[in-house]
Amino acid sequence: MDEQETRVLLSEFGASLFARGYSVGSAGNISVKLPDGYLMTPTNSSLGRLDPGRLSKLDANFNHVGGDKPSKEVFMHRAFYQAREDAGAVVHLHSTQATAVSCLPDVDQSNPIPPLTPYFVMRVGRRMPVVPYYRPGDPSMEPAIRAAAQGARAVLLANHGPVVSGKTLTDAVYAAEELEEAAKLFLMLRGQVPRLLTAGQVDDLLTTFG
Ligand code: 13P
């Protein structure tokens, strides 16, 4: 896929996520790795109305080299790309149910959502930690995100929302959607004792689907 096709795909995914309520107002940001740098959503842009020609272009060192001013969360995306060689795209949302889980102090902060369904495990993986609260746009969160992302494809920013990486833009968007569904199930099942996937079943999924 060339850069122009990637710009169009990113804008289409933004519109789709917005239309389905995964993002409201100007919340959320998306980036994709290119051979010569990164594309990123501009700061204060609505995911529902992205202009492919005005997406921010960053060089390989995350310097702004084209398009509108990038998201104030550039460092959040950079932390994922630096921590994970397999990251080809990063999606940050304020999707309601995942954000609700990020506000719960009484869940396991190292891995709040247990393996309830195969697709959550296949898309998000074995572990998804909560990173402590930082003000949106505060660059001091970068080391904490980088450390958490070393062992996880996705993290929850406390009282803020999910950050999800994937090998491709499509993978990252699908993982963000699966995470939101898993968070919804987790909240629905709170106070009950659901049957979880066993460690053997989780291993089988990760071996079979990567
Ligand atoms: P930006 O508009 O700067 O991308 O910030 C939106 C956001 O989601 C902050 O967390």
Side-chain angles (χ1 to χ4, degrees):
M1 190 179 295
D2 67 19
E3 179 173 330
Q4 185 51 31
E5 290 166 333
T6 304
R7 285 173 177 271
V8 170
L9 185 65
L10 193 161
S11 304
E12 285 175 358
F13 271 132
S16 169
L17 289 166
F18 189 88
R20 290 176 293 138
Y22 287 87
S23 167
V24 299
S26 64
N29 32 71
I30 303 175
S31 67
V32 192
K33 195 172 186 175
L34 298 172
D36 63 344
Y38 301 86
L39 286 175
M40 184 166 289
T41 49
T43 190
N44 292 325
S45 58
S46 167
L47 294 191
R49 294 185 297 123
L50 294 169
D51 178 343
R54 294 183 61 170
L55 294 176
S56 312
K57 179 89 186 266
L58 309 178
D59 68 14
N61 295 316
F62 296 89
N63 299 306
H64 181 207
V65 292
D68 289 348
K69 187 176 172 204
S71 170
K72 62 180 165 296
E73 310 279 31
V74 170
F75 58 86
M76 172 201 288
H77 294 250
R78 181 171 63 196
F80 262 85
Y81 292 115
Q82 289 178 345
R84 304 192 64 81
E85 269 184 21
D86 64 353
V90 174
V91 174
H92 166 54
L93 299 171
H94 299 171
S95 53
T96 312
Q97 322 261 355
T99 305
V101 175
S102 84
C103 297
L104 293 173
D106 63 337
V107 295
D108 177 0
Q109 302 295 297
S110 73
N111 199 20
I113 301 183
L116 290 165
T117 65
Y119 266 73
F120 177 61
V121 173
M122 287 154 57
R123 295 280 181 202
V124 177
R126 201 186 291 274
R127 232 172 56 77
M128 183 196 57
V130 179
V131 172
Y133 176 78
Y134 290 85
R135 188 186 71 240
D138 179 352
S140 64
M141 80 170 84
E142 183 167 358
I145 295 181
R146 195 185 303 115
Q150 264 152 19
R153 288 180 222 163
V155 304
L156 286 183
L157 306 178
N159 299 73
H160 184 170
V163 192
V164 183
S165 67
K167 285 193 174 70
T168 65
L169 177 57
T170 302
D171 284 344
V173 170
Y174 287 179
E177 294 182 12
E178 282 300 334
L179 165 50
E180 183 63 6
E181 292 309 305
K184 191 171 173 178
L185 290 172
F186 173 69
L187 295 170
M188 284 172 75
L189 292 166
R190 275 200 108 201
Q192 301 179 60
V193 186
R195 178 179 51 249
L196 302 180
L197 299 183
T198 64
Q201 288 165 337
V202 169
D203 287 345
D204 173 52
L205 287 166
L206 294 174
T207 307
T208 308
F209 298 104

